[in-house]
Amino acid sequence: MAIIKNGFTRGKIYNVTYSVRNGVQISKGLSRKPKYDKSAATIDSATVFGKASNLGFYFRLSMYDAYNDFHDSAMSTRLTGLIVESFKPVLDETNLNFIFKQNSFKRLEGFEFNVKSPIQNYLFAQFMVDYSDNNLVKITIPEMKSPKEFVFPSEIAKCKLVVTCGLFDLENGLYNQTESHLFDIQRTYPTTLIPSQETTFSTQPGCLCIIAISLQFYKTTFAGDVILNNKQFNPSAILSAHITDGPVDTDTRERWDEMDFKTGRQLLLPPPAPVHLLPGSPDNTAA
């Protein structure tokens, strides 16, 4: 059905749809592309992609402090692709649910939020991430020398190293409020020695813990500190993605936010020994 108003046709007549855009009459014929029945494999693939895209949204939301909207245009698509690849090995026999292990999301480690400025171009030190303490994750920043292990861009002398932690209860579809810790790094001449530091975050049993780091360079003005990062320059990456040991305790989730993503019970292995991780260098050796 179509109507004529002010000399323009709006609506559908047979196989043609009429509309108005900026005072111009627009007509569009319906697509004659043949339709095909989707196979079971196609439906399963679409289901996995949809769940990966959904979970990726919450990963990006939780890790916002790490990239502050200064990501490349394909960041969302690249992250969803890695989540899809993380899902494939843990699909159950119905292809509709997942049985996660502690290293199921290991391929996220080294993911760059902005490929135009990889963090590995500025930071060469190996951070230690230790999940062995009871419901704690400790990140150790080793002693660094600039410019050998930490590179300041030209004419920039101040930086805030931001370590961000997010927790995700994939079994019950919940995630917590992200926590971030900041460390000030300042260039001195002729050489800069950055002392070793560490920080600790609380975790919860049976939850995916994602640790991200970012370098926020800035200058000090009369109006305060001005961040110099932008869409073209924002070194930030995922340092660790690990499902913690133990059964999920729903009594600790009262203040957590809900996700649309939810899966079945997870099968977990014993906690790993501390490992050294190089920011920006993905480890795709996980099974």
Side-chain angles (χ1 to χ4, degrees), residues 14 31 55 57 66 69 86 112 119 125-126 130 141 165 169-170 181 219 247 250 265:
Y14 294 106
S31 173
L55 185 58
F57 166 78
D69 258 350
S86 300
E112 299 276 359
I119 200 169
Q126 292 183 328
D130 184 1
I141 305 168
C165 177
D169 180 351
L170 303 178
H181 297 168
K219 65 179 180 180
T250 56
R265 276 199 78 76

Side-chain angles (χ1 to χ4, degrees), residues 47-220:
T47 300
V48 169
F49 180 84
K51 289 186 175 181
S53 178
N54 184 288
L55 185 58
F57 166 78
Y58 293 102
F59 286 175
R60 299 193 308 274
L61 183 64
S62 182
M63 294 293 106
Y64 182 82
D65 285 353
Y67 61 89
N68 292 302
D69 258 350
F70 296 147
H71 55 82
D72 63 79
S73 59
M75 185 269 282
S76 174
T77 302
R78 292 189 295 107
L79 182 60
T80 299
L82 284 179
I83 298 173
V84 168
E85 295 303 315
S86 300
F87 280 176
K88 288 180 180 179
V90 295
L91 277 170
D92 67 8
E93 63 277 3
T94 69
N95 286 339
L96 296 175
N97 205 354
F98 310 96
I99 304 175
F100 291 119
K101 298 181 180 179
Q102 288 184 325
N103 63 355
S104 291
F105 291 91
K106 191 173 182 64
R107 66 181 66 236
L108 296 184
E109 294 176 359
F111 175 81
E112 299 276 359
F113 290 104
N114 194 323
V115 295
K116 298 176 182 178
S117 55
I119 200 169
Q120 60 185 334
N121 289 352
Y122 303 92
L123 187 58
F124 305 103
Q126 292 183 328
F127 287 28
M128 176 179 282
V129 181
D130 184 1
Y131 290 93
S132 60
D133 289 337
N134 186 30
N135 294 333
L136 293 173
V137 54
K138 182 171 69 174
I139 298 94
T140 302
I141 305 168
E143 181 181 270
M144 296 181 289
K145 295 179 181 179
S146 177
K148 183 177 180 180
E149 294 163 310
F150 188 95
V151 177
F152 282 92
S154 178
E155 299 181 1
I156 297 178
K158 295 183 178 182
C159 175
K160 293 183 184 295
L161 191 156
V162 183
V163 183
T164 301
C165 177
L167 293 176
F168 304 84
D169 180 351
L170 303 178
E171 181 178 328
N172 297 291
L174 300 169
Y175 71 104
N176 78 334
Q177 295 296 316
T178 304
E179 186 178 0
S180 294
H181 297 168
L182 282 68
F183 300 88
D184 286 314
I185 300 175
Q186 187 164 344
R187 172 188 276 174
T188 57
Y189 296 93
T191 61
T192 301
L193 180 63
I194 303 166
S196 175
Q197 303 179 79
E198 65 179 40
T199 187
T200 302
F201 297 96
S202 297
T203 63
Q204 290 293 334
C207 289
L208 172 63
C209 178
I210 295 182
I211 306 293
I213 59 173
S214 61
L215 304 178
Q216 297 182 2
F217 295 94
Y218 67 98
K219 65 179 180 180
T220 300

